[in-house]
Amino acid sequence: MEATPSSIADAPDEFKALIDMGLTRANVGIQSLVPREIREAGRGGEDEDVIRRAVRTAHELGLPDLSTDLIMGFAGQTPETWRQSVDELAALRPTTISTYFLTVRPDAWFSKTGAYQYMWQPELYERYDYARQVFLEHGYVQEGSVRYKKPGRGGYAQKVLTFHGVPLLGLGVGARSYTSVLDYMCGSVKPSAAEVADYIRKARDHELTPVTGFELTPEENLRKRLVLDTFDLDLSELERFGYRRHAAEFEPVLDAAESNGLVHRLGDRVQLTPKGFKYRDVLSWMFYSGPVKDLDREYYENLHAANRRARKNMGAAPVRITGVDLREGAA
């Protein structure tokens, strides 16, 4: 389940009841342990003291896997404040920690205020290096490009399975489902109470249908696996999607990645190196199709325009959002 820090820290009896009912994993969006950055994330009521109490409470109640996250790229974040968050979270010892580069989604607080920075800079990769070093020193093992877990515990089974192409059924009005032919949602990202009630009625009457989604052709399935699963990918498995027909496009990318130390190649098997984990998002961008790149560009251009309007209405200067082709980050 997803949980806010206060829902654990301020209601331990209710949280313990969920554990007694079989809850094994809770994901808590911490994002930062620096007061100013917590406010920047729109989490003013979830201050650093509440976060500390939530982690300690989860430990005391015996939750098998407490998953937490930190985000690189908030407006005003500095190398010093990033190190502060990393050091303190490592000392709190949650079972799983994820460190994400800032991604702006339409339901994010700062997508409406424009109070953030969205740019790929070398210093963000230096923050990645620092976090990796600290978490490994504290006994974590790296599960993916952003995720660290305690050995034998923790992790994120849903992501691992999805990256390997295993279909996932999302239950709930705002849940996403991932199949071999369609990635879809049966509702909106932030549903109203009326939408929840309508979803329940339709589920009961077997009337649920996707309302938004992305069709996956064999080529898009192939690209999706290359984007997500280069952690450890057997290219021969992709022949069912016609890999050989597209090999002339993908093989030069994989060869360049190998020559730059991003992947190991042994026959048909491709595995990311530690350097490849670090620059995995840059490599993944190389496998996006033209239509998907266009959708990504359109999304951020629309977000930019919306922020300009919002800032103008508030009487402030518009915030410039820099959209950078991730390939530039390779330099």
Side-chain angles (χ1 to χ4, degrees), residues 103-263:
T103 300
V104 185
R105 290 168 47 172
D107 57 329
W109 165 264
F110 33 78
S111 71
K112 298 176 179 62
T113 66
Y116 60 87
Q117 296 172 335
Y118 185 74
M119 56 186 68
W120 289 72
Q121 297 175 325
E123 67 184 46
L124 294 185
Y125 287 100
E126 293 170 6
R127 293 176 201 179
Y128 170 97
D129 288 336
Y130 183 80
R132 183 176 187 273
Q133 175 186 340
V134 169
F135 295 142
L136 295 182
E137 289 175 351
H138 279 75
Y140 289 87
V141 294
Q142 191 168 8
E143 182 184 56
S145 57
V146 301
R147 191 167 300 106
Y148 304 85
K149 66 177 184 178
K150 289 294 186 179
R153 302 172 61 201
Y156 198 169
Q158 172 189 326
K159 287 289 187 185
V160 172
L161 293 173
T162 302
F163 287 1
H164 286 312
V166 177
L168 174 72
L169 176 63
L171 300 177
V173 63
R176 294 172 173 83
S177 294
Y178 304 95
T179 74
S180 59
V181 294
L182 184 71
D183 291 351
Y184 68 91
M185 293 177 63
C186 290
S188 60
V189 174
K190 296 188 73 174
S192 65
E195 287 178 287
V196 173
D198 187 57
Y199 177 93
I200 293 172
R201 180 190 63 76
K202 289 180 178 178
R204 184 179 58 241
D205 297 337
H206 305 286
E207 296 176 353
L208 284 176
T209 56
V211 298
T212 183
F214 182 81
E215 182 180 0
L216 291 164
T217 63
E219 181 183 345
E220 288 294 355
N221 262 308
L222 173 60
R223 291 179 179 278
K224 183 177 179 179
R225 289 294 303 280
L226 286 165
V227 166
L228 296 177
D229 201 21
T230 44
F231 298 107
D232 186 6
L233 179 62
D234 188 343
L235 295 177
S236 64
E237 295 178 8
L238 303 185
E239 189 50 44
R240 60 195 172 110
F241 302 124
Y243 180 78
R244 299 302 167 194
R245 292 198 302 274
H246 302 278
E249 179 177 357
F250 301 135
E251 285 295 318
V253 177
L254 292 172
D255 289 342
E258 183 178 27
S259 67
N260 281 282
L262 301 180
V263 300

